[in-house]
């Protein structure tokens, strides 16, 4: 069993410096703008309520001082009462009673305001999470396919997804920091009146704890950043070990032990790294926090001494000791909170840096109108393409025409470049060399959405959406999702109508086993549903990239035959490993290792006796 990967692999981000941590605070203003955009009304309500609540602690503490002083004054009078009724009639207790009622009212108000703040911020957090998640999905949709095939961007996307859910507490923390800052000012004013040097003592005692907390917050961020690939592996292993898609092979091959051991190895490595950091944080945190406690008791002793000397009253002693204690707690919370906000601002970098990624494949500023209909077709001129970080060219020196209204078939062994060619045709990639022309103009001169709206593609690795049968077909033309007649016609064309008719709920039946009421389909049934998506789209170019691999030879032939019949006056591309199916195409391109090896009709290629004839005979021999 392989050992867990080392957390600090080369090329990963090192521990952020103090300067970088403070620079991360630049993420707070855009974060707050997003909070405000989620709901201005709830933002104002939360801040307004917190502002009121910020002054309640000092007010309640001062009223407490007045209560104690009043009680001490009454004791000093030496008046004795036989009953509470007699004391009340004397009128001496009324000031004390009104002070108690006022403090009780403030306590009730503080609790009520706290609950209202929690209510407002819970709703605000939910709205923020929803809005940010939507923005994440919308931005991800604009990125290039190449981006999603980059492991580093996958790590960044994974961290960004976590931030849409994991940073909602930052809002409450920032608002709470503002509330505590106002409360600190009110307490500090009270202390300045009695003993200004206590503020300096408090600051000196708390600075070491702040530095320590800031340091360990940064180390925690660095640990999470460095372990992002391993956490994605953990999630993958967990999903693989407990999902319907992999259940059959897990059982057949007894993979559960292997997967459990792989998960345990990765998880233990992450646990050990977290435990080491937690131990260091606990030790140094305790030591540095003791300095703050020492400062408090020095101040407490000083206030007690001044009270014994007669400089302060008992109420003053209570007020000052309470103020210093609360001020220490609040300042410690502010400093630690600021460190935590700075740490969480580092995490926000993951979110905003993802939003900052710009796609390379985009529409030009002034696109030319897409031809309707396509008159000439596509021309590949010396097209070459290489995947990022790949040494071998996926396509090279590719020159051919795809004429308007022509049914073209692509054949070749795995890795020949057939799917890559289709992706270039749909502008999922742009060529690294050469260009692709459509009706004599570079494909990059057209609006990107128009290009893709006029090209319908069903890939071999089509998605199985755990939605209703109608929605699975309707995603082929999202703006026609509610057009039942169009969905049924697309199903009929793809021979998927029989599949849907066999379902208990028909077109409204949830398919797939992810949800309780779902009904799973066979591989061939899923493929017919996927092919129906292509017929949903009123596209001028139709492409089937081996979507019939799970069908038997007869069913595939019928699908392709119908596809050719229904593709009249449309440009079509077929990719299949079954040569008996592609022979119906107007022209066949034979590809090998990214290059065009031969072109012609089935009869012409068989007569040439090249690779096509060789592969055709090898396949035909298997049926004899």
């Amino acid at each position: 069993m392989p050992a867990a990967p080392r957390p600090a692999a080369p090329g990963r981000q090192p521990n952020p410096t103090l300067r970088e941590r403070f620079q991360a605070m630049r993420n707070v203003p855009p974060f707050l703008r997003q909070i405000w955009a989620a709901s201005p009304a709830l933002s104002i309500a939360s801040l307004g309520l917190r502002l009121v609540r910020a002054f309640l602690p000092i007010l309640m503490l001062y009223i407490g001082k007045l209560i104690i002083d009043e009680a001490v004054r009454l004791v000093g009078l030496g008046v004795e009462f036989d009953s509470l009724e007699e004391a009340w009639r004397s009128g001496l207790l009324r000031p004390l009673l009104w002070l108690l009622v006022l403090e009780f009212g403030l306590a009730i108000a503080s609790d009520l305001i706290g609950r209202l703040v929690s209510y407002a911020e819970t709703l605000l957090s939910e709205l923020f999470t929803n809005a940010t998640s939507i923005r994440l999905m919308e931005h991800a949709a604009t990125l290039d396919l190449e981006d999603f095939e980059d492991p580093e961007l996958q790590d960044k996307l994974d961290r960004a997804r976590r931030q849409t859910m994991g940073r909602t507490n930052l809002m409450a923390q920032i608002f709470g920091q503002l509330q505590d800052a106002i409360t600190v000012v009110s307490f500090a004013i009270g202390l300045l009146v009695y003993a200004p040097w206590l503020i300096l003592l408090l600051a000196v005692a708390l600075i070491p704890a702040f530095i320590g907390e800031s340091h360990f917050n940064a180390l925690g961020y660095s640990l999470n950043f460095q372990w992002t690939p391993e956490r994605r592996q953990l999630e993958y292993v967990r999903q693989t070990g407990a999902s319907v898609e992999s259940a059959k092979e897990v059982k057949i091959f007894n993979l559960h032990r292997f997967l459990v051991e792989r998960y345990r190895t990765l998880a233990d490595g992450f646990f050990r790294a977290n435990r080491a950091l937690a131990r260091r944080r606990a030790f140094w945190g305790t030591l540095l926090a003791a300095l703050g406690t020492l400062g408090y008791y020095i101040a407490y002793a000083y206030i007690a001494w001044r009270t014994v000397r007669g400089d302060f009253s008992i109420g003053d002693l209570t007020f000052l000791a309470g103020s210093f204690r609360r001020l220490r707690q609040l300042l410690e919370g502010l400093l630690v909170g600021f460190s935590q906000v700075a740490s969480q601002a580092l995490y926000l970098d993951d979110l905003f840096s993802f939003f900052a990624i710009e796609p390379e494949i985009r529409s030009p500023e002034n696109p030319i109108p897409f031809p309707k209909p396509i008159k000439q077709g596509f021309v590949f001129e010396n097209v070459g393409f290489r995947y990022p970080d790949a040494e071998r060219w996926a396509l090279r020196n590719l020159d051919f025409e795809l004429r308007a209204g022509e049914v073209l078939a692509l054949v070749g062994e795995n890795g020949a470049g057939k799917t890559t060619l289709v992706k270039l045709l749909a502008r999922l990639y742009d060529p690294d060399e050469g260009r692709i022309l459509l009706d004599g103009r570079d494909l990059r001169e057209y609006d990107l959405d128009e290009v893709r709206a006029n090209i319908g593609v069903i890939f071999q690795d089509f998605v199985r959406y755990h939605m209703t049968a109608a929605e699975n077909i309707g995603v082929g033309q999202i703006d026609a999702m509610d057009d039942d007649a169009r969905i049924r016609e697309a199903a009929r064309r793809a021979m998927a109508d029989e599949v849907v008719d066999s379902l208990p709920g028909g077109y409204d039946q949830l398919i797939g086993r992810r949800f309780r009421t779902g009904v799973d389909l066979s591989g061939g049934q899923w493929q017919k549903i996927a092919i129906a998506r292509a017929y949903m789209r009123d596209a001028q170019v139709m492409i089937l990239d081996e979507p019939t691999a799970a069908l038997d030879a007869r069913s595939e032939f019928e699908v392709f035959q119908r596809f050719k019949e229904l593709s009249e006056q449309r440009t079509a591309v077929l990719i299949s490993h079954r040569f008996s199916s592609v022979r119906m195409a107007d022209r066949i391109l034979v590809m090998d290792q990214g290059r065009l090896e031969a072109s012609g009709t089935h009869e012409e290629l068989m007569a040439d006796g090249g690779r096509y004839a060789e592969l055709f005979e090898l396949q035909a021999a298997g049926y004899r």
Side-chain angles (χ1 to χ4, degrees), residues 12-194:
R12 298 193 192 174
Q13 177 171 306
N15 294 340
T17 63
L18 183 61
R19 180 181 179 183
E20 289 171 334
R21 281 175 256 162
F22 278 99
Q23 286 178 338
M25 293 295 289
R26 70 184 183 278
N27 294 317
V28 173
F31 171 74
L32 292 177
R33 285 195 293 271
Q34 288 193 4
I35 292 290
W36 175 267
S39 175
L42 287 174
S43 299
I44 291 173
S46 177
L47 289 171
L49 289 168
R50 282 188 177 276
L51 180 63
V52 173
R53 201 179 187 206
F55 291 103
L56 292 180
I58 184 69
L59 188 57
M60 292 179 67
L61 194 60
Y62 186 74
I63 291 173
K65 162 195 152 38
L66 295 179
I67 290 172
I68 292 172
D69 283 343
E70 180 65 16
V72 170
R73 186 185 70 83
L74 291 174
V75 171
L77 291 176
V79 180
E80 296 183 1
F81 301 102
D82 294 332
S83 66
L84 180 62
E85 181 182 354
E86 181 185 350
W88 177 254
R89 282 201 306 267
S90 71
L92 294 174
L93 295 182
R94 289 178 184 175
L96 182 61
L97 178 63
W98 282 116
L99 287 171
L100 289 169
V101 170
L102 181 57
E103 186 172 8
F104 172 73
L106 290 175
I108 294 296
S110 179
D111 179 71
L112 176 62
I113 292 173
R115 294 179 186 277
L116 290 174
V117 165
S118 177
Y119 171 75
E121 292 181 357
T122 297
L123 297 181
L124 194 55
S125 294
E126 191 71 22
L127 291 173
F128 168 78
T129 297
N130 293 342
T132 308
S133 298
I134 290 171
R135 184 183 174 192
L136 183 78
M137 290 188 289
E138 288 177 340
H139 185 69
T142 69
L143 299 184
D144 300 332
L145 181 61
E146 180 179 310
D147 292 328
F148 287 95
E149 295 170 344
D150 179 1
E152 288 188 8
L153 185 128
Q154 285 295 311
D155 291 343
K156 183 171 289 189
L157 176 58
D158 182 69
R159 290 192 295 269
R161 283 197 198 101
R162 294 175 187 274
Q163 302 328 309
T164 61
M165 299 293 294
R167 299 278 75 82
T168 53
N169 62 327
L170 177 59
M171 176 199 67
Q173 190 165 19
I174 292 175
F175 288 180
Q177 290 280 93
L178 179 61
Q179 174 186 321
D180 289 346
I182 296 172
T183 306
V184 162
V185 171
S186 64
F187 276 122
I189 291 173
L191 280 180
L192 284 171
V193 172
Y194 290 93

Side-chain angles (χ1 to χ4, degrees), residues 253-308:
F253 297 126
N254 284 322
L255 288 179
H256 67 281
R257 294 185 181 88
F258 169 80
L259 293 172
V260 167
E261 188 60 31
R262 172 64 61 85
Y263 185 90
R264 182 180 288 116
T265 302
L266 289 166
D268 285 350
F270 193 32
F271 169 76
R272 286 193 297 271
N274 269 312
R275 182 179 59 188
L277 178 60
R279 285 175 176 172
R280 292 168 57 198
R281 187 170 197 158
F283 174 77
W284 286 105
T286 302
L287 187 62
L288 295 172
L291 293 176
T293 304
L294 178 62
Y296 166 70
Y297 279 99
I298 290 174
Y300 198 7
Y302 171 77
I303 296 168
W305 165 244
R306 291 286 300 274
T307 303
V308 170

Side-chain angles (χ1 to χ4, degrees), residues 483-497:
D483 189 339
D484 290 340
R486 186 166 178 173
I487 289 173
R488 291 174 183 273
E489 176 61 16
R492 186 191 66 78
R493 290 182 172 191
M495 297 188 294
D497 50 345

Side-chain angles (χ1 to χ4, degrees), residues 456-465 469 472-476 490-491 494 496 499 511 521 523-537 542-544 547-548 559:
V457 188
I458 296 297
F459 290 105
Q460 55 186 317
D461 53 349
F462 59 87
V463 179
R464 303 183 181 197
Y465 296 100
N472 261 277
I473 298 171
V475 294
V499 175
I511 54 179
L521 305 180
Q525 289 174 319
W526 270 113
Q527 288 191 310
K528 288 181 178 180
I529 294 289
I531 293 169
R533 292 174 198 158
Y535 290 117
M536 272 296 294
R537 177 159 292 201
M542 302 287 285
I543 302 173
L544 296 185
T548 56
V559 167

Side-chain angles (χ1 to χ4, degrees), residues 495 527-528 531 544 546-563 574-582 584 619 623:
M495 297 188 294
Q527 288 191 310
K528 288 181 178 180
I531 293 169
L544 296 185
E546 296 192 66
T548 56
L551 300 178
D552 56 58
R554 178 184 292 278
S555 297
E556 183 185 83
F557 179 82
E558 291 174 353
V559 167
F560 278 3
Q561 185 67 43
R562 177 171 291 193
F563 179 75
L574 307 177
I575 300 177
S576 175
H577 281 295
R578 291 195 180 113
F579 286 41
S580 57
S581 297
V582 301
M584 70 183 67
Q619 194 170 100
Y623 290 97

